[in-house]
Amino acid sequence: MTLGSDNVFHDLGFAEPEAQNLLLRADLVAHIRKVITKLGITQAEAARRAGVSQPRMNDLVKGRTHKFTLDALVNVAAQLGYTVKLSVKKAA
């Protein structure tokens, strides 16, 4: 058994900048999926509220994070009524 870091993408061998970006996108997608469930709305309704197509929302719900930038995900969260906050700290 090998102890991993707090970033699975880093553990998979991605360079640190890309690993951080991938982790942020994955976390944001997970939160948006929870918001959709909490709101009790369909993908079509979530897409309408977020101003994206239903196929695009399906990509998000299915976790296809490679199809989204952080900027796009922040916009979706905002359109669904949520604020995204970012914290920055010195690397260990």
Side-chain angles (χ1 to χ4, degrees):
M1 178 185 260
T2 303
L3 184 62
S5 70
D6 61 349
N7 185 332
V8 66
F9 299 104
H10 180 265
D11 296 343
L12 289 171
F14 288 93
E16 191 58 31
E18 186 176 8
Q20 288 182 31
N21 189 289
L22 289 167
L23 184 61
L24 286 170
R25 285 190 283 159
D27 285 348
L28 196 45
V29 164
H31 284 288
I32 292 169
R33 290 173 63 189
K34 287 178 188 175
V35 165
I36 293 167
T37 300
K38 181 179 178 181
L39 293 172
I41 58 177
T42 63
Q43 285 185 22
E45 177 60 18
R48 187 191 66 73
R49 291 185 188 189
V52 299
S53 68
Q54 192 281 326
R56 185 111 169 106
M57 184 57 68
N58 184 264
D59 285 337
L60 192 153
V61 169
K62 296 294 184 185
R64 298 181 184 116
T65 58
H66 65 281
K67 293 188 173 193
F68 295 89
T69 63
L70 277 173
D71 188 50
L73 293 169
V74 169
N75 290 340
V76 168
Q79 290 294 97
L80 293 175
Y82 285 77
T83 301
V84 177
K85 293 186 179 186
L86 176 70
S87 66
V88 179
K89 64 180 182 176
K90 179 133 175 75

